[in-house]
Amino acid sequence: MSRQDTNESFRMAFATLHAHKFRSFLTVLGVVVGTVTVMVIASFISGLDQQFKKDIESFGTNTVFIYKFDPGIHTGRLTPEERMRKPISYEDAMAIKAQCPAVKYVAPFLSPDDAIKIRYQDQELYISQVQGTLPEYERMSSVHIAEGRFFTEVENQHRSDICVIGADIADKFFPRLAALDKQILVNDKPLTVIGVTQKQDNFFVGENDGGNQNRAVYLPYETMKKMYPAEKDHFVMAQAQEGQLAQAEDEIRSLLRRRREVPYEKNDNFGLSTPDAITNQFHQITGGIAILMFAISSVGLLIGGIGVMNIMLVSVTERTKEIGVRKAIGARRRDIMRQFLIEAMALTGSGGLLGIAIGWLLSLLVNLILPVNVPTWAPVVGITVSCSIGLVFGLWPAMKASKLDPIVALRYE
């Protein structure tokens, strides 16, 4: 096949599309819708993936999270074993710090189950992110201070009445004032603000979730323990030494199994997780959603393909005499077949390009309210799939055109 023949086939294909613009658009409307759907879904999932990874990494990429229950999505009621589980204790956290060489820092968190009233003058909030922790939490680079400072170990040991507040709380209570050195009431106990955390994007964290640092209040651990002596359950973050995350996880698991007297043949009666494990769980969820949505979008592509086949069969009938003339002056079967295949691929390819453009614009609009990122592969897949549909669904009409008898075709009226 010479370049001249190919160029002539493309010229004839686009001339036909130009001559029937509206019909061509209606024919590939399904392809356009399918391609737009692929673009938007790919952009949305890619954006969610990047935002989720950013949110998780804000807690540190070298961190082990330790819970009373297994992390992840739970359905149904707790099992009898789960209801009887001992809480993760402060002593467990200190044992990890002392006996796990691969662990660099450990920060236990003590927090009441119920929302706590935070008040300044005549303004008040009810939040669930009032947490007592150790100064090591700041050293883990999990919290970043915008104003002031974090508390020290001396202040923790002396049970100082101080706190560090989130950016949203500072904006609420002190919109035009400096928050530092102001006194707020935490469950009616006066605490002096010594620091304000940096504002963070928390797309995946609800307003009242414990991980929302923008609405958090951090107290020295001993201060919190003095305020809520009956609280026993802890959440623990342990930061591993550089490059020793897997070793740290193994050491923590082995230690906790000994301390909690878990028999050799039994499963853990506590939960461990890492940023990678949490991210993998998220990918499993979004992967299932992506497969479902792509299956739905394939319906539009299938409808577009059937429309292309239908219009190409009509085109073969309309141009029977033209095909006869071309064959009479020497065109071979493969020349006719190539012409109609290129025409079908040009038709669906044009629909694919239009779908990519619309999908890109929609992604930019969605990005105003949701995290969206258009991956490089999305437009490549869009144009490849759309052209492939033209090739597959245009094959039968092309074969039908190539098999026409020139004598019969020239007689056709």
Short mmCIF file of all heavy atoms in Angstrom, two decimals, residues 243-275:
data_model
loop_
_atom_site.label_atom_id
_atom_site.label_comp_id
_atom_site.label_asym_id
_atom_site.label_seq_id
_atom_site.Cartn_x
_atom_site.Cartn_y
_atom_site.Cartn_z
N GLY A 243 13.74 3.52 56.17
CA GLY A 243 13.90 2.29 55.42
C GLY A 243 13.61 1.02 56.21
O GLY A 243 13.89 -0.08 55.73
N GLN A 244 13.01 1.13 57.40
CA GLN A 244 12.76 -0.05 58.23
C GLN A 244 11.28 -0.21 58.58
O GLN A 244 10.94 -0.74 59.64
CB GLN A 244 13.60 0.03 59.52
CG GLN A 244 15.09 0.06 59.29
CD GLN A 244 15.89 0.01 60.59
OE1 GLN A 244 15.56 -0.74 61.51
NE2 GLN A 244 16.94 0.81 60.68
N LEU A 245 10.41 0.22 57.69
CA LEU A 245 8.97 0.15 57.98
C LEU A 245 8.50 -1.28 58.16
O LEU A 245 7.78 -1.59 59.13
CB LEU A 245 8.19 0.83 56.86
CG LEU A 245 6.66 0.85 57.02
CD1 LEU A 245 6.26 1.59 58.29
CD2 LEU A 245 5.99 1.48 55.80
N ALA A 246 8.88 -2.18 57.28
CA ALA A 246 8.44 -3.58 57.39
C ALA A 246 8.96 -4.22 58.66
O ALA A 246 8.24 -4.96 59.35
CB ALA A 246 8.90 -4.37 56.16
N GLN A 247 10.23 -3.94 59.00
CA GLN A 247 10.81 -4.49 60.23
C GLN A 247 10.09 -3.94 61.46
O GLN A 247 9.80 -4.68 62.41
CB GLN A 247 12.29 -4.17 60.29
CG GLN A 247 13.00 -4.74 61.52
CD GLN A 247 14.49 -4.41 61.54
OE1 GLN A 247 15.06 -4.04 60.52
NE2 GLN A 247 15.11 -4.53 62.71
N ALA A 248 9.78 -2.64 61.43
CA ALA A 248 9.08 -2.03 62.56
C ALA A 248 7.70 -2.66 62.73
O ALA A 248 7.27 -2.94 63.87
CB ALA A 248 8.96 -0.53 62.34
N GLU A 249 7.00 -2.90 61.64
CA GLU A 249 5.68 -3.51 61.71
C GLU A 249 5.76 -4.91 62.32
O GLU A 249 4.93 -5.29 63.16
CB GLU A 249 5.05 -3.56 60.32
CG GLU A 249 3.61 -4.01 60.31
CD GLU A 249 2.99 -3.95 58.92
OE1 GLU A 249 3.69 -3.59 57.95
OE2 GLU A 249 1.78 -4.27 58.81
N ASP A 250 6.77 -5.68 61.91
CA ASP A 250 6.95 -7.03 62.47
C ASP A 250 7.27 -6.98 63.96
O ASP A 250 6.73 -7.78 64.74
CB ASP A 250 8.07 -7.77 61.73
CG ASP A 250 7.69 -8.14 60.31
OD1 ASP A 250 6.48 -8.18 60.01
OD2 ASP A 250 8.60 -8.39 59.49
N GLU A 251 8.13 -6.05 64.35
CA GLU A 251 8.49 -5.93 65.77
C GLU A 251 7.28 -5.54 66.61
O GLU A 251 7.06 -6.07 67.70
CB GLU A 251 9.61 -4.89 65.93
CG GLU A 251 10.95 -5.34 65.38
CD GLU A 251 12.01 -4.25 65.47
OE1 GLU A 251 11.67 -3.12 65.90
OE2 GLU A 251 13.17 -4.53 65.12
N ILE A 252 6.49 -4.59 66.12
CA ILE A 252 5.30 -4.14 66.86
C ILE A 252 4.29 -5.27 66.98
O ILE A 252 3.72 -5.51 68.06
CB ILE A 252 4.67 -2.92 66.16
CG1 ILE A 252 5.60 -1.71 66.25
CG2 ILE A 252 3.31 -2.58 66.78
CD1 ILE A 252 5.20 -0.54 65.38
N ARG A 253 4.06 -5.99 65.89
CA ARG A 253 3.11 -7.11 65.93
C ARG A 253 3.56 -8.17 66.93
O ARG A 253 2.75 -8.66 67.74
CB ARG A 253 2.95 -7.70 64.54
CG ARG A 253 2.07 -8.96 64.52
CD ARG A 253 1.76 -9.46 63.13
NE ARG A 253 0.67 -8.68 62.53
CZ ARG A 253 0.83 -7.80 61.55
NH1 ARG A 253 2.05 -7.59 61.04
NH2 ARG A 253 -0.19 -7.13 61.07
N SER A 254 4.83 -8.53 66.89
CA SER A 254 5.35 -9.56 67.79
C SER A 254 5.23 -9.11 69.25
O SER A 254 4.81 -9.89 70.12
CB SER A 254 6.82 -9.85 67.44
OG SER A 254 7.37 -10.79 68.34
N LEU A 255 5.56 -7.85 69.51
CA LEU A 255 5.49 -7.33 70.88
C LEU A 255 4.06 -7.31 71.40
O LEU A 255 3.78 -7.75 72.53
CB LEU A 255 6.09 -5.92 70.93
CG LEU A 255 5.97 -5.19 72.27
CD1 LEU A 255 6.82 -5.88 73.32
CD2 LEU A 255 6.38 -3.73 72.13
N LEU A 256 3.13 -6.80 70.59
CA LEU A 256 1.75 -6.71 71.03
C LEU A 256 1.12 -8.09 71.22
O LEU A 256 0.30 -8.29 72.13
CB LEU A 256 0.92 -5.88 70.05
CG LEU A 256 1.23 -4.38 70.03
CD1 LEU A 256 0.36 -3.66 69.00
CD2 LEU A 256 1.03 -3.75 71.40
N ARG A 257 1.48 -9.03 70.39
CA ARG A 257 0.95 -10.39 70.57
C ARG A 257 1.43 -10.96 71.91
O ARG A 257 0.66 -11.64 72.60
CB ARG A 257 1.38 -11.30 69.41
CG ARG A 257 0.64 -11.02 68.11
CD ARG A 257 1.10 -11.97 67.00
NE ARG A 257 0.73 -13.36 67.27
CZ ARG A 257 -0.42 -13.93 66.94
NH1 ARG A 257 -1.34 -13.21 66.29
NH2 ARG A 257 -0.66 -15.19 67.21
N ARG A 258 2.67 -10.70 72.29
CA ARG A 258 3.17 -11.17 73.59
C ARG A 258 2.45 -10.45 74.73
O ARG A 258 2.01 -11.09 75.69
CB ARG A 258 4.68 -10.97 73.70
CG ARG A 258 5.50 -11.84 72.79
CD ARG A 258 6.96 -11.90 73.25
NE ARG A 258 7.54 -10.57 73.41
CZ ARG A 258 8.16 -9.89 72.44
NH1 ARG A 258 8.24 -10.43 71.22
NH2 ARG A 258 8.67 -8.70 72.68
N ARG A 259 2.36 -9.14 74.64
CA ARG A 259 1.77 -8.36 75.71
C ARG A 259 0.27 -8.67 75.88
O ARG A 259 -0.25 -8.63 76.99
CB ARG A 259 1.96 -6.87 75.46
CG ARG A 259 3.39 -6.38 75.63
CD ARG A 259 3.47 -4.86 75.43
NE ARG A 259 2.61 -4.14 76.35
CZ ARG A 259 2.94 -3.79 77.60
NH1 ARG A 259 4.14 -4.13 78.08
NH2 ARG A 259 2.09 -3.12 78.36
N ARG A 260 -0.40 -8.96 74.78
CA ARG A 260 -1.84 -9.22 74.83
C ARG A 260 -2.15 -10.72 74.89
O ARG A 260 -3.30 -11.12 74.76
CB ARG A 260 -2.51 -8.55 73.63
CG ARG A 260 -2.37 -7.03 73.65
CD ARG A 260 -2.74 -6.39 72.33
NE ARG A 260 -4.16 -6.45 72.04
CZ ARG A 260 -5.05 -5.55 72.46
NH1 ARG A 260 -4.65 -4.51 73.19
NH2 ARG A 260 -6.33 -5.66 72.16
N GLU A 261 -1.07 -11.52 75.04
CA GLU A 261 -1.19 -12.97 75.26
C GLU A 261 -2.03 -13.65 74.18
O GLU A 261 -2.98 -14.40 74.46
CB GLU A 261 -1.78 -13.24 76.65
CG GLU A 261 -0.91 -12.68 77.77
CD GLU A 261 -1.52 -12.91 79.15
OE1 GLU A 261 -2.73 -13.28 79.21
OE2 GLU A 261 -0.82 -12.72 80.15
N VAL A 262 -1.69 -13.38 72.93
CA VAL A 262 -2.38 -13.99 71.81
C VAL A 262 -1.75 -15.36 71.52
O VAL A 262 -0.53 -15.43 71.28
CB VAL A 262 -2.30 -13.10 70.55
CG1 VAL A 262 -3.04 -13.75 69.38
CG2 VAL A 262 -2.85 -11.71 70.83
N PRO A 263 -2.50 -16.46 71.57
CA PRO A 263 -1.94 -17.78 71.27
C PRO A 263 -1.36 -17.83 69.86
O PRO A 263 -1.79 -17.10 68.96
CB PRO A 263 -3.14 -18.72 71.41
CG PRO A 263 -4.11 -17.98 72.29
CD PRO A 263 -3.92 -16.54 71.97
N TYR A 264 -0.41 -18.71 69.68
CA TYR A 264 0.31 -18.82 68.41
C TYR A 264 -0.63 -19.04 67.24
O TYR A 264 -0.46 -18.46 66.15
CB TYR A 264 1.33 -19.96 68.50
CG TYR A 264 2.05 -20.22 67.19
CD1 TYR A 264 3.11 -19.41 66.79
CD2 TYR A 264 1.66 -21.27 66.36
CE1 TYR A 264 3.78 -19.64 65.59
CE2 TYR A 264 2.31 -21.49 65.16
CZ TYR A 264 3.37 -20.68 64.78
OH TYR A 264 4.02 -20.90 63.59
N GLU A 265 -1.66 -19.88 67.43
CA GLU A 265 -2.54 -20.25 66.32
C GLU A 265 -3.68 -19.24 66.10
O GLU A 265 -4.44 -19.37 65.14
CB GLU A 265 -3.14 -21.64 66.56
CG GLU A 265 -4.17 -21.73 67.67
CD GLU A 265 -3.56 -21.80 69.07
OE1 GLU A 265 -2.32 -21.75 69.16
OE2 GLU A 265 -4.32 -21.92 70.05
N LYS A 266 -3.81 -18.22 66.95
CA LYS A 266 -4.89 -17.25 66.84
C LYS A 266 -4.46 -16.03 66.03
O LYS A 266 -3.28 -15.70 65.94
CB LYS A 266 -5.33 -16.80 68.24
CG LYS A 266 -5.89 -17.91 69.10
CD LYS A 266 -7.23 -18.41 68.59
CE LYS A 266 -7.84 -19.42 69.55
NZ LYS A 266 -9.15 -19.92 69.07
N ASN A 267 -5.47 -15.35 65.46
CA ASN A 267 -5.21 -14.09 64.76
C ASN A 267 -4.96 -12.97 65.76
O ASN A 267 -5.28 -13.08 66.94
CB ASN A 267 -6.39 -13.73 63.86
CG ASN A 267 -6.59 -14.71 62.73
OD1 ASN A 267 -5.62 -15.27 62.20
ND2 ASN A 267 -7.83 -14.94 62.34
N ASP A 268 -4.40 -11.86 65.25
CA ASP A 268 -4.14 -10.69 66.09
C ASP A 268 -5.45 -10.18 66.70
O ASP A 268 -6.49 -10.19 66.04
CB ASP A 268 -3.52 -9.56 65.28
CG ASP A 268 -2.16 -9.93 64.71
OD1 ASP A 268 -1.55 -10.88 65.22
OD2 ASP A 268 -1.72 -9.27 63.74
N ASN A 269 -5.38 -9.76 67.96
CA ASN A 269 -6.55 -9.12 68.58
C ASN A 269 -6.33 -7.60 68.65
O ASN A 269 -6.71 -6.94 69.61
CB ASN A 269 -6.84 -9.70 69.96
CG ASN A 269 -5.69 -9.50 70.94
OD1 ASN A 269 -4.66 -8.91 70.58
ND2 ASN A 269 -5.84 -9.99 72.16
N PHE A 270 -5.75 -7.07 67.60
CA PHE A 270 -5.51 -5.63 67.44
C PHE A 270 -5.33 -5.39 65.94
O PHE A 270 -5.29 -6.34 65.15
CB PHE A 270 -4.25 -5.19 68.21
CG PHE A 270 -3.02 -5.99 67.88
CD1 PHE A 270 -2.18 -5.63 66.82
CD2 PHE A 270 -2.72 -7.15 68.59
CE1 PHE A 270 -1.06 -6.37 66.50
CE2 PHE A 270 -1.59 -7.91 68.27
CZ PHE A 270 -0.77 -7.53 67.22
N GLY A 271 -5.27 -4.15 65.54
CA GLY A 271 -5.13 -3.83 64.11
C GLY A 271 -3.88 -3.01 63.85
O GLY A 271 -3.56 -2.08 64.60
N LEU A 272 -3.16 -3.38 62.81
CA LEU A 272 -2.00 -2.61 62.34
C LEU A 272 -2.23 -2.21 60.89
O LEU A 272 -2.79 -2.98 60.11
CB LEU A 272 -0.70 -3.44 62.42
CG LEU A 272 -0.17 -3.86 63.79
CD1 LEU A 272 1.17 -4.57 63.63
CD2 LEU A 272 -0.01 -2.67 64.71
N SER A 273 -1.77 -1.04 60.55
CA SER A 273 -1.87 -0.61 59.15
C SER A 273 -0.74 0.36 58.85
O SER A 273 -0.13 0.94 59.75
CB SER A 273 -3.22 0.06 58.89
OG SER A 273 -3.42 0.25 57.50
N THR A 274 -0.48 0.52 57.56
CA THR A 274 0.54 1.46 57.08
C THR A 274 -0.06 2.29 55.95
O THR A 274 -1.11 1.93 55.41
CB THR A 274 1.77 0.71 56.54
OG1 THR A 274 1.38 -0.11 55.42
CG2 THR A 274 2.40 -0.19 57.62
N PRO A 275 0.58 3.40 55.59
CA PRO A 275 0.04 4.19 54.47
C PRO A 275 -0.15 3.38 53.20
O PRO A 275 -1.15 3.54 52.49
CB PRO A 275 1.10 5.29 54.30
CG PRO A 275 1.68 5.47 55.66
CD PRO A 275 1.71 4.08 56.25
#
